[in-house]
Amino acid sequence: MTGVETEFTPLQSLAGGVLIGLSAVLLMFFQGKILGATGILSGLIAGTAPGDKGWRAAMVAGMIAGPLLVLAVTGQMPVVDVPVSWPMILAGGFIVGIGVTFGSGCTSGHGVCGNARLSPRSMVATVTFMIASGITVYVIRHVVGG
Amino acid sequence: MRFLSAFIVGLIFGVGIAISGMINPAKVLNFFDVAGTWDPSLIFVMGGALVTTFIGYRLVLRRDKPVIEEKFQLPAASAIDARLIGGSAVFGIGWGIAGFCPGAAIPALGSGKIEVVGFVVALLAGLWVARAIRDRQTGKGAVA
């Protein structure tokens, strides 16, 4: 299962990254909170206080509206190409859910917000999940998939 | 104000994920495939997000308090333990299998692709099961 080439997009990726950072800064400005997708979702499904669910749902709605706004402005839906099988999609999702709960965060919470705060925990988490993901992709594409 | 600001924050995040390419698992998996069809774009996503947040947090955290809440809620945990490293390693494995992390999968739902719905349902199931295990181990766990 080797990959299919994707175009190198440094400027768009940089601009997108700046927007991701801006959203994290704005959440700290308004609500004083770290922007972590794990925490947002986890709080939605957990038995947190009723008043705590509304803003999370509003944020998730905003996130989902993001690519639709891109579609409205540019006339093109951003490419979402899932190059793996259904069993891998489902297993991957479940494994990610387990990992981010015990690891207390993911790419947004640790990778962006925690590292920006120079949190040693987040730095260790980020290095760990980047290496684990790299090894996994290598094994799937070049060892198993050959 | 609380809902509106949360929606706008989510919208900016979702647009960022979309135009950065993080929304596309093919691109994310290629970032990790240094030995194959490598696409280094995600270094620029991480770089742009980190520099912006690093500078922005320093400006915002000079304030006495955020606009809506009474105080800043910064994570207090500092332990670098087996749970942090093991959990992060497991997350990385799942990310490498499917190509989606949670923050990329939520905006990707906007594409309407059924594969994304499948991933998010499995993700929620994993979150739910892991919370149940953790709460049983520790009594009542705090929200991550």
Side-chain angles (χ1 to χ4, degrees), chain B residues 45-125:
Chain B
V45 184
M46 247 349 209
L50 264 176
V51 170
T52 306
T53 311
F54 182 84
I55 296 169
Y57 271 7
R58 262 139 205 86
L59 297 174
V60 168
L61 291 172
R62 277 188 204 158
R63 297 169 51 95
D64 293 329
K65 64 189 195 69
V67 175
I68 297 173
E69 304 292 335
E70 282 309 304
K71 57 182 181 191
F72 291 108
Q73 297 173 34
L74 301 175
S78 61
I80 295 174
D81 51 18
R83 174 168 290 217
L84 176 78
I85 295 171
S88 297
V90 169
F91 161 44
I93 292 169
W95 195 16
I97 291 173
F100 274 126
C101 57
I106 303 171
L109 285 170
S111 72
K113 286 213 155 187
I114 189 69
E115 290 93 339
V116 188
V117 178
F119 177 87
V120 171
V121 170
L123 168 65
L124 292 173

Side-chain angles (χ1 to χ4, degrees), chain A residues 34-112:
Chain A
I34 294 287
L35 199 172
T38 296
I40 306 285
L41 284 179
S42 195
L44 262 184
I45 61 168
T48 42
D52 198 41
K53 288 204 198 293
W55 71 270
R56 294 172 191 271
M59 187 176 297
V60 167
M63 288 180 178
I64 296 172
L68 300 173
L69 179 61
V70 172
L71 170 67
V73 172
T74 67
Q76 273 194 317
M77 177 61 85
V79 176
V80 180
D81 177 15
V82 188
V84 302
S85 64
W86 267 104
M88 286 170 75
I89 292 170
L90 298 177
F94 190 80
I95 293 168
V96 167
I98 299 281
V100 295
T101 302
F102 286 103
S104 302
C106 53
T107 331
S108 46
H110 280 311
V112 176

Side-chain angles (χ1 to χ4, degrees), chain A:
Chain A
M1 193 191 300
T2 48
V4 175
E5 297 270 353
T6 49
E7 191 191 346
F8 178 49
T9 54
L11 288 180
Q12 279 164 272
S13 290
L14 185 66
V18 168
L19 287 179
I20 293 167
L22 179 64
S23 68
V25 173
L26 285 176
L27 186 66
M28 187 62 77
F29 178 70
F30 284 114
Q31 292 203 34
K33 292 190 177 81
I34 294 287
L35 199 172
T38 296
I40 306 285
L41 284 179
S42 195
L44 262 184
I45 61 168
T48 42
D52 198 41
K53 288 204 198 293
W55 71 270
R56 294 172 191 271
M59 187 176 297
V60 167
M63 288 180 178
I64 296 172
L68 300 173
L69 179 61
V70 172
L71 170 67
V73 172
T74 67
Q76 273 194 317
M77 177 61 85
V79 176
V80 180
D81 177 15
V82 188
V84 302
S85 64
W86 267 104
M88 286 170 75
I89 292 170
L90 298 177
F94 190 80
I95 293 168
V96 167
I98 299 281
V100 295
T101 302
F102 286 103
S104 302
C106 53
T107 331
S108 46
H110 280 311
V112 176
C113 298
N115 287 333
R117 292 178 58 230
L118 305 179
S119 153
R121 248 173 86 80
S122 292
M123 292 181 194
V124 169
T126 306
V127 169
T128 305
F129 62 65
M130 296 298 275
I131 291 174
S133 188
I135 292 173
T136 304
V137 171
Y138 183 82
V139 169
I140 290 174
R141 288 192 172 178
H142 302 288
V143 179
V144 180

Side-chain angles (χ1 to χ4, degrees), chain B residues 9-21:
Chain B
V9 165
L11 187 64
I12 296 171
F13 182 87
V15 171
I17 291 286
I19 65 175
S20 69

